[in-house]
Coordinates of all heavy atoms in Angstrom, one line a residue:
L1 N -17.6 -6.9 -20.6 CA -17.3 -7.7 -19.5 C -15.7 -7.8 -19.3 O -15.3 -7.7 -18.1 CB -17.9 -9.1 -19.6 CG -17.5 -10.1 -18.5 CD1 -18.1 -9.6 -17.2 CD2 -18.1 -11.5 -18.9
N2 N -15.0 -8.0 -20.4 CA -13.6 -8.0 -20.3 C -13.0 -6.8 -19.7 O -12.1 -6.8 -18.9 CB -12.9 -8.3 -21.6 CG -13.4 -9.7 -22.2 OD1 -14.5 -9.8 -22.7 ND2 -12.6 -10.7 -22.1
E3 N -13.5 -5.6 -20.2 CA -13.0 -4.3 -19.7 C -13.3 -4.1 -18.2 O -12.5 -3.6 -17.4 CB -13.6 -3.2 -20.5 CG -13.0 -3.2 -22.0 CD -13.6 -2.0 -22.7 OE1 -14.3 -1.1 -22.1 OE2 -13.2 -1.9 -23.9
L4 N -14.5 -4.6 -17.8 CA -14.9 -4.5 -16.4 C -14.0 -5.4 -15.5 O -13.6 -5.0 -14.5 CB -16.4 -4.9 -16.3 CG -17.0 -4.9 -14.9 CD1 -16.9 -3.5 -14.3 CD2 -18.4 -5.5 -14.8
L5 N -13.7 -6.6 -16.0 CA -12.9 -7.5 -15.3 C -11.5 -6.9 -15.2 O -10.8 -7.0 -14.1 CB -12.8 -8.9 -16.0 CG -14.0 -9.8 -15.9 CD1 -13.9 -11.0 -16.7 CD2 -14.3 -10.2 -14.4
L6 N -11.0 -6.3 -16.2 CA -9.7 -5.7 -16.3 C -9.6 -4.6 -15.3 O -8.6 -4.5 -14.5 CB -9.3 -5.2 -17.7 CG -7.9 -4.7 -17.9 CD1 -6.9 -5.8 -17.7 CD2 -7.8 -4.1 -19.3
L7 N -10.5 -3.7 -15.3 CA -10.5 -2.5 -14.4 C -10.7 -3.0 -13.0 O -10.1 -2.5 -12.0 CB -11.6 -1.5 -14.8 CG -11.3 -0.6 -16.0 CD1 -12.5 0.2 -16.4 CD2 -10.1 0.3 -15.7
T8 N -11.7 -3.9 -12.8 CA -12.0 -4.4 -11.4 C -10.8 -5.1 -10.8 O -10.3 -4.7 -9.7 CB -13.3 -5.3 -11.4 OG1 -14.3 -4.5 -12.0 CG2 -13.6 -5.7 -10.0
F9 N -10.4 -6.2 -11.4 CA -9.4 -7.1 -10.8 C -8.0 -6.4 -10.8 O -7.4 -6.4 -9.7 CB -9.3 -8.4 -11.6 CG -10.3 -9.4 -11.2 CD1 -11.5 -9.4 -11.7 CD2 -10.0 -10.4 -10.2 CE1 -12.5 -10.4 -11.4 CE2 -10.9 -11.3 -9.8 CZ -12.2 -11.3 -10.4
S10 N -7.6 -5.7 -11.9 CA -6.4 -5.1 -11.9 C -6.4 -3.9 -10.9 O -5.4 -3.6 -10.2 CB -6.0 -4.6 -13.3 OG -5.9 -5.7 -14.2
G11 N -7.5 -3.1 -10.9 CA -7.6 -2.0 -10.0 C -7.6 -2.4 -8.6 O -6.9 -1.8 -7.8
V12 N -8.4 -3.4 -8.2 CA -8.5 -3.9 -6.8 C -7.2 -4.5 -6.4 O -6.7 -4.1 -5.3 CB -9.6 -4.9 -6.7 CG1 -9.5 -5.6 -5.3 CG2 -11.0 -4.3 -6.9
I13 N -6.5 -5.3 -7.2 CA -5.3 -5.9 -6.8 C -4.2 -4.8 -6.7 O -3.4 -4.8 -5.7 CB -4.8 -7.0 -7.9 CG1 -5.7 -8.2 -7.8 CG2 -3.4 -7.4 -7.7 CD1 -5.5 -9.2 -8.9
A14 N -4.1 -3.9 -7.6 CA -3.1 -2.9 -7.6 C -3.3 -2.0 -6.3 O -2.4 -1.7 -5.6 CB -3.2 -2.0 -8.8
M15 N -4.6 -1.6 -6.1 CA -4.9 -0.7 -4.9 C -4.6 -1.5 -3.6 O -4.1 -0.9 -2.7 CB -6.3 -0.2 -5.0 CG -6.6 0.7 -6.1 SD -5.5 2.2 -6.0 CE -6.0 2.9 -4.5
A16 N -5.0 -2.7 -3.6 CA -4.9 -3.5 -2.3 C -3.4 -3.7 -2.0 O -2.9 -3.5 -0.8 CB -5.5 -4.9 -2.4
T17 N -2.6 -4.1 -3.0 CA -1.2 -4.4 -2.7 C -0.4 -3.0 -2.5 O 0.4 -3.0 -1.6 CB -0.5 -5.1 -3.9 OG1 -0.8 -4.3 -5.1 CG2 -1.1 -6.5 -4.1
F18 N -0.8 -2.0 -3.2 CA -0.2 -0.7 -3.0 C -0.6 -0.1 -1.6 O 0.3 0.5 -0.9 CB -0.6 0.3 -4.1 CG 0.2 1.6 -4.0 CD1 1.6 1.6 -4.3 CD2 -0.4 2.8 -3.8 CE1 2.3 2.7 -4.3 CE2 0.3 4.0 -3.8 CZ 1.6 3.9 -4.0
L19 N -1.8 -0.4 -1.2 CA -2.2 0.1 0.2 C -1.5 -0.6 1.3 O -1.1 0.0 2.3 CB -3.7 -0.2 0.3 CG -4.4 0.4 1.5 CD1 -4.3 2.0 1.5 CD2 -5.9 0.0 1.6
I20 N -1.2 -1.9 1.1 CA -0.3 -2.6 2.0 C 1.0 -2.0 2.1 O 1.6 -1.8 3.2 CB -0.2 -4.1 1.6 CG1 -1.6 -4.8 1.8 CG2 0.8 -4.8 2.5 CD1 -1.6 -6.2 1.3
V21 N 1.6 -1.6 1.0 CA 2.9 -1.0 1.0 C 2.8 0.4 1.7 O 3.7 0.7 2.5 CB 3.4 -0.7 -0.5 CG1 4.6 0.1 -0.5 CG2 3.6 -2.1 -1.2
I22 N 1.8 1.2 1.4 CA 1.7 2.5 2.0 C 1.5 2.4 3.5 O 2.2 3.1 4.3 CB 0.5 3.3 1.4 CG1 0.7 3.6 -0.1 CG2 0.2 4.6 2.2 CD1 1.9 4.5 -0.3
I23 N 0.6 1.5 4.0 CA 0.4 1.4 5.4 C 1.7 0.9 6.1 O 2.0 1.3 7.2 CB -0.8 0.4 5.7 CG1 -2.1 1.0 5.2 CG2 -0.9 0.0 7.2 CD1 -3.3 0.1 5.3
S24 N 2.3 -0.1 5.5 CA 3.6 -0.6 6.1 C 4.6 0.5 6.2 O 5.3 0.6 7.3 CB 4.2 -1.7 5.2 OG 3.3 -2.8 5.1
Y25 N 4.7 1.3 5.2 CA 5.8 2.4 5.3 C 5.3 3.5 6.2 O 6.2 4.2 6.7 CB 6.1 2.9 3.9 CG 7.2 2.1 3.2 CD1 6.9 1.1 2.3 CD2 8.5 2.2 3.6 CE1 7.8 0.3 1.7 CE2 9.5 1.5 3.0 CZ 9.2 0.5 2.1 OH 10.1 -0.3 1.5
L26 N 4.1 3.7 6.4 CA 3.6 4.7 7.4 C 4.1 4.3 8.8 O 4.6 5.1 9.6 CB 2.1 4.9 7.4 CG 1.5 5.7 6.2 CD1 0.0 5.7 6.2 CD2 2.1 7.1 6.2
F27 N 3.9 3.0 9.1 CA 4.3 2.5 10.4 C 5.9 2.5 10.5 O 6.4 2.8 11.6 CB 3.8 1.1 10.6 CG 2.4 1.0 11.1 CD1 1.4 0.6 10.2 CD2 2.0 1.3 12.4 CE1 0.1 0.5 10.6 CE2 0.7 1.3 12.8 CZ -0.3 0.9 11.9
I28 N 6.5 2.2 9.4 CA 8.0 2.2 9.3 C 8.5 3.6 9.6 O 9.4 3.8 10.4 CB 8.5 1.7 8.0 CG1 8.3 0.2 7.9 CG2 10.0 2.1 7.8 CD1 8.6 -0.3 6.5
V29 N 7.9 4.6 9.0 CA 8.4 6.0 9.2 C 8.2 6.4 10.6 O 9.1 7.1 11.2 CB 7.6 7.0 8.2 CG1 7.8 8.4 8.6 CG2 8.0 6.8 6.8
V30 N 7.0 6.1 11.2 CA 6.8 6.4 12.6 C 7.8 5.8 13.5 O 8.4 6.4 14.4 CB 5.3 6.0 13.0 CG1 5.2 6.1 14.5 CG2 4.3 6.8 12.3
A31 N 8.1 4.5 13.2 CA 9.1 3.8 14.0 C 10.5 4.4 13.9 O 11.2 4.5 14.9 CB 9.1 2.3 13.6
I32 N 10.8 4.8 12.7 CA 12.2 5.3 12.4 C 12.3 6.7 13.1 O 13.4 7.0 13.7 CB 12.4 5.5 10.9 CG1 12.6 4.1 10.3 CG2 13.7 6.3 10.6 CD1 12.8 4.1 8.8
L33 N 11.3 7.5 13.1 CA 11.3 8.8 13.7 C 11.5 8.7 15.2 O 12.0 9.7 15.9 CB 10.1 9.6 13.4 CG 9.9 10.0 11.9 CD1 8.6 10.8 11.7 CD2 11.1 10.9 11.5
R34 N 11.1 7.6 15.8 CA 11.3 7.4 17.2 C 12.7 7.0 17.6 O 13.1 6.9 18.8 CB 10.3 6.3 17.7 CG 8.9 6.7 17.7 CD 8.0 5.6 18.1 NE 6.6 6.0 18.1 CZ 5.5 5.2 18.3 NH1 5.8 3.9 18.5 NH2 4.3 5.7 18.3
I35 N 13.5 6.6 16.6 CA 14.9 6.2 16.8 C 15.7 7.5 17.2 O 15.7 8.5 16.4 CB 15.5 5.5 15.6 CG1 14.8 4.2 15.3 CG2 17.0 5.2 15.9 CD1 15.3 3.5 14.0
R36 N 16.4 7.5 18.3 CA 17.1 8.7 18.8 C 18.3 9.0 18.0 O 18.6 10.2 17.7 CB 17.4 8.6 20.3 CG 16.1 8.5 21.1 CD 16.5 8.5 22.6 NE 15.3 8.4 23.4 CZ 15.3 8.4 24.7 NH1 16.5 8.4 25.4 NH2 14.1 8.4 25.4
S37 N 19.1 8.0 17.7 CA 20.4 8.3 17.0 C 20.2 8.5 15.5 O 19.4 7.9 14.8 CB 21.4 7.2 17.2 OG 21.1 6.1 16.4
A38 N 20.9 9.5 15.0 CA 20.9 9.8 13.5 C 21.4 8.7 12.7 O 20.9 8.4 11.6 CB 21.7 11.1 13.2

Protein backbone atom coordinates (compact mmCIF):
# COMPACT_ATOMS: atom_id res chain seq x y z
CA LEU A 1 0.00 0.00 0.00
CA ASN A 2 2.84 2.39 0.85
CA GLU A 3 4.54 1.70 -2.48
CA LEU A 4 1.24 2.20 -4.29
CA LEU A 5 0.66 5.51 -2.49
CA LEU A 6 4.21 6.59 -3.26
CA LEU A 7 3.95 5.80 -6.95
CA THR A 8 0.40 7.13 -7.27
CA PHE A 9 0.65 10.40 -5.35
CA SER A 10 4.25 11.22 -6.26
CA GLY A 11 3.66 10.20 -9.86
CA VAL A 12 0.38 12.09 -10.23
CA ILE A 13 1.69 15.22 -8.51
CA ALA A 14 4.93 15.19 -10.49
CA MET A 15 3.15 14.61 -13.79
CA ALA A 16 0.41 17.17 -13.08
CA THR A 17 2.80 19.94 -12.04
CA PHE A 18 5.23 19.12 -14.83
CA LEU A 19 2.35 19.09 -17.35
CA ILE A 20 1.36 22.59 -16.20
CA VAL A 21 4.95 23.68 -16.84
CA ILE A 22 5.03 22.06 -20.30
CA ILE A 23 1.68 23.51 -21.39
CA SER A 24 2.62 26.96 -20.07
CA TYR A 25 5.89 26.93 -21.99
CA LEU A 26 4.24 25.69 -25.19
CA PHE A 27 2.00 28.77 -25.12
CA ILE A 28 5.00 30.91 -24.18
CA VAL A 29 7.03 29.64 -27.15
CA VAL A 30 4.13 30.29 -29.54
CA ALA A 31 3.73 33.81 -28.15
CA ILE A 32 7.46 34.52 -28.38
CA LEU A 33 7.67 33.31 -31.99
CA ARG A 34 4.96 35.85 -32.86
CA ILE A 35 7.17 38.70 -31.61
CA ARG A 36 8.63 40.40 -34.68
CA SER A 37 11.76 41.97 -33.23
CA ALA A 38 14.75 39.76 -32.42
